[in-house]
Amino acid sequence: MTALLIDGALIARKLLEELRPRVAALTAGGTKPGLAAILVGDNAASEVYVRNKIRACSDLGLKSDVHRLAANCSEDELIALIEKLNRTPDIHGILLQLPLPTHLDAERTTRHINAAKDVDGFSWENLGALVAGHPQLAPCTALGVMAMIDHEGLKVEGADAVVVGRSVAVGKPTALMLIARGATVTVCTSKTRDLARHTRNADIVVVAVGKPGTVNGGMLKPGAAVFDVGINRLADGKITGDVDFASASAVASRITPVPGGVGRMTVATLIANTVSAAENFVKAKV
Ligand code: NAP
């Protein structure tokens, strides 16, 4: 079998185009959706991610600002900026680009973002809403994976799914979304004794680990759909995922490439969350 490629760039473009009328309606009503990105320090990858997000905002007619803090800024300075943005009426989404320098606690600082503006979906309110089955602003990468699954017309209800990785940012929310849709979900971690024993049973495999080659073709059920969330920079500068693409694409029915896969979706779903946050803001005013 040679897997079909799941084209993240194409699906993300479609998702962004679907947002255009919603942005136009908001803007016509006097509310231009606004995203504020906070960038701490000078991490080169973070610069690229933020640039892509800001470009997507301007392509779609959203307002966007980047707020830069020095790498040695204090946690109080960062929290003061977040609280100022919480009070800024024309900002509907706040994005704190991770990772932060090691002296700053990402979880503690993120918790200061008002849940209504938490377009990354990492606040306890938004994560709790997802656990309770009433998602509000949900984590973007997990939303991106689910949008790809839907775009490909994959049946989730009754499917056996394996999520490799249990991070709050990716693994756990993806597992929760799959559970909500009726999949039977196994979550594997660094402590899992025999990863292949689990992945070999799965119709849907989502890998979010951060280690190239975590899953290869020999660990897959023929015909599985594979979503590779990993982004790893190799010694030669090339970007690769967590899945061994060559062997996996010989066994899977569908697979996401890296780059050009899930990463493209994460930007689109962030913009979708910002538009939803602006719509919620308007609804709350009337
Ligand atoms: P993370 O917080 O470091 O979590 C990694 C998870 O992988 C942990 O739960 C860990 O288990 C698990 N793990 C580590 N080694 C494993 C192994 N050998 N077998 C099974 N599980 C293992 O990372 P993350 O934030 O979820 O990100 C994961 C990857 O996705 C990274 O490459 C990141 O750059 C990428 N990413 C991509 C996007 C995108 O838009 N495409 C977005 C976010 C992240 P323990 O909990 O037991 O340690």
Side-chain angles (χ1 to χ4, degrees):
M1 181 177 297
T2 304
L4 297 173
L5 215 56
I6 303 175
D7 184 346
L10 174 87
I11 305 170
R13 250 196 326 273
K14 283 189 180 171
L15 202 154
L16 287 166
E17 282 310 314
E18 283 164 18
L19 293 173
R20 215 174 267 288
R22 288 167 61 191
V23 174
L26 280 163
T27 308
T31 303
K32 188 172 185 155
L35 176 72
I38 304 175
L39 198 48
V40 185
D42 45 18
N43 180 312
S46 293
E47 290 274 353
V48 174
Y49 293 142
V50 167
R51 200 182 313 137
N52 290 342
K53 290 165 186 173
I54 296 299
R55 188 184 306 135
C57 281
S58 70
D59 285 352
L60 217 63
L62 275 72
K63 166 188 157 64
S64 56
D65 309 321
V66 183
H67 298 261
R68 290 172 186 276
L69 291 175
N72 63 355
C73 79
S74 69
E75 207 160 288
D76 284 348
E77 275 177 85
L78 175 55
I79 291 169
L81 173 58
I82 290 171
E83 284 176 348
K84 186 174 129 214
L85 293 168
N86 281 340
R87 294 189 301 270
T88 307
D90 60 351
I91 289 299
H92 307 99
I94 301 172
L95 153 76
L96 176 58
Q97 185 63 47
L98 302 179
L100 296 176
T102 48
H103 68 287
L104 300 171
D105 184 311
E107 206 211 321
R108 200 164 48 227
T109 45
T110 300
R111 290 219 305 268
H112 287 266
I113 299 175
N114 181 332
K117 298 191 179 192
D118 165 37
V119 285
D120 264 330
F122 296 158
S123 67
W124 286 5
E125 289 92 327
N126 284 324
L127 289 170
L130 182 62
V131 172
H134 301 288
Q136 310 285 318
L137 297 171
C140 300
T141 304
L143 283 175
V145 170
M146 296 310 293
M148 289 178 130
I149 286 175
D150 288 338
H151 182 270
E152 297 301 305
L154 299 176
K155 191 164 165 25
V156 178
E157 191 174 295
D160 290 320
V162 165
V163 177
V164 190
R166 57 170 159 175
S167 69
V168 169
V170 188
K172 278 184 198 163
T174 306
L176 286 166
M177 289 179 198
L178 288 164
I179 290 169
R181 297 274 298 273
T184 301
V185 182
T186 302
V187 178
C188 297
T189 73
S190 65
K191 314 294 180 221
T192 298
R193 279 199 298 252
D194 182 356
L195 181 59
R197 183 165 70 81
H198 300 282
T199 53
R200 268 194 210 115
N201 288 326
D203 307 304
I204 297 171
V205 180
V206 181
V207 192
V209 168
K211 291 181 188 158
T214 301
V215 169
N216 61 48
M219 299 166 73
L220 296 171
K221 171 167 146 180
V226 179
F227 298 85
D228 187 353
V229 179
I231 301 177
N232 307 291
R233 189 173 288 276
L234 301 176
D236 62 4
K238 287 204 180 106
I239 301 288
T240 188
D242 289 343
V243 175
D244 176 48
F245 186 83
S247 64
S249 55
V251 179
S253 62
R254 287 180 163 78
I255 188 167
T256 61
V258 178
V262 178
R264 301 297 282 264
M265 297 300 297
T266 300
V267 176
T269 50
L270 174 84
I271 307 299
N273 273 352
T274 305
V275 173
S276 297
E279 288 169 344
N280 294 341
F281 172 82
V282 171
K283 275 187 220 137
K285 269 202 311 193
V286 291

